[in-house]
Amino acid sequence: GQSLEQPSEVTAVEGAIVQINCTYQTSGFYGLSWYQQHDGGAPTFLSYNALDGLEETGRFSSFLSRSDSYGYLLLQELQMKDSASYFCAVSAEGGYNKLIFGAGTRLAVHP
Amino acid sequence: DSGVTQTPKHLITATGQRVTLRCSPRSGDLSVYWYQQSLDQGLQFLIQYYNGEERAKGNILERFSAQQFPDLHSELNLSSLELGDSALYFCASSVAGSEKLFFGSGTQLSVL
């Protein structure tokens, strides 16, 4: 089976940088995804890493180390609107057919 | 707007009942996924269909079933409902071979 671990809560102030870590255990690993979910909303795709290294998309970056079964989401220049839950997810067991999500990290951004 | 449509948005029913949740994927997406999210919980994978065929199964209860129709819309059937089935049920779709899922706005199921 698969398991993912990420912190349950993170707090930061506007303008700061925050890193949300994710460690995973799975077989047949294909890649690590990140999704954002605001309260009452649907998850939205942020990024995907299939290879080791850093992927940058605007203020958000995502990193993967396959050898360490570890990844992180880096949010820079935090804004109040970034307050949300962030989920890491692994694609495993045959590819994209089964995207398994972590329990989520609730990020609170304060003024 | 993700392009994925779920109906109904809210559903209130009693224990022992049966309900059907409906999902229309984005135009052109052949894959449909169903997830369950309980209060303050992560997203639990239930089942995935690709072009009408079941492709992957998660921890879906035997009381739950799903199907994808020729027009690619999907339905999730929940029967013999229990209080613990109260949750937000999301449908998502993707193009073939893509890791990027587009989620609908969900169906909030309340079992009383």
Side-chain angles (χ1 to χ4, degrees):
Chain A
Q2 298 88 31
S3 68
L4 299 96
E5 286 193 17
Q6 51 182 130
S8 58
E9 290 184 13
V10 173
T11 303
V13 296
E14 266 187 309
I17 299 173
V18 71
Q19 179 174 311
I20 300 174
N21 298 320
C22 175
T23 58
Y24 59 87
Q25 287 187 324
T26 184
S27 58
F29 176 83
Y30 277 75
L32 185 71
S33 302
W34 289 92
Y35 284 77
Q36 179 192 59
Q37 184 181 28
H38 287 98
D39 284 347
T44 56
F45 174 84
L46 291 177
S47 67
Y48 174 73
N49 295 66
L51 303 175
D52 286 357
L54 192 68
E55 296 278 346
E56 299 182 57
T57 309
R59 295 187 296 112
F60 294 1
S61 303
S62 57
F63 172 83
L64 175 65
S65 169
R66 294 173 70 109
S67 59
D68 295 323
S69 298
Y70 162 77
Y72 65 72
L73 180 68
L74 190 73
L75 298 85
Q76 303 182 74
E77 301 173 18
L78 282 172
Q79 302 175 10
M80 297 294 289
K81 68 178 182 180
D82 297 328
S83 294
S85 292
Y86 293 84
F87 296 88
C88 59
V90 292
S91 306
E93 293 190 11
Y96 312 116
N97 293 345
K98 192 173 177 178
L99 193 64
I100 304 301
F101 284 78
T105 298
R106 193 170 185 85
L107 170 64
V109 180
H110 297 288
Chain B
D1 183 8
S2 67
V4 178
T5 304
Q6 287 188 250
T7 56
K9 292 192 181 306
H10 303 277
L11 200 49
I12 301 174
T13 189
T15 54
Q17 295 299 303
R18 171 190 170 96
V19 297
T20 298
L21 313 184
R22 182 188 169 98
C23 169
S24 294
R26 291 189 322 152
S27 177
D29 286 358
L30 300 181
S31 290
V32 170
Y33 308 76
W34 286 98
Y35 285 86
Q36 179 193 57
Q37 187 173 39
S38 301
L39 194 62
D40 294 331
Q41 295 291 311
L43 293 144
Q44 301 298 315
F45 172 77
L46 295 178
I47 199 164
Q48 186 233 350
Y49 282 85
Y50 176 80
N51 202 20
E53 294 191 5
E54 181 184 305
R55 273 294 177 91
K57 221 168 185 177
N59 296 324
I60 187 168
L61 300 172
E62 286 191 9
R63 300 183 286 109
F64 296 2
S65 65
Q67 54 184 324
Q68 185 179 27
F69 295 87
D71 67 353
L72 300 179
H73 92 271
S74 178
E75 292 181 357
L76 178 67
N77 300 295
L78 315 176
S79 62
S80 302
L81 284 167
E82 302 175 358
L83 296 178
D85 298 328
S86 295
L88 190 53
Y89 291 84
F90 284 107
C91 167
S93 73
S94 71
V95 299
S98 171
E99 73 287 345
K100 185 175 181 179
L101 268 58
F102 293 86
F103 282 81
S105 57
T107 293
Q108 180 67 59
L109 174 66
S110 299
V111 182
L112 306 179

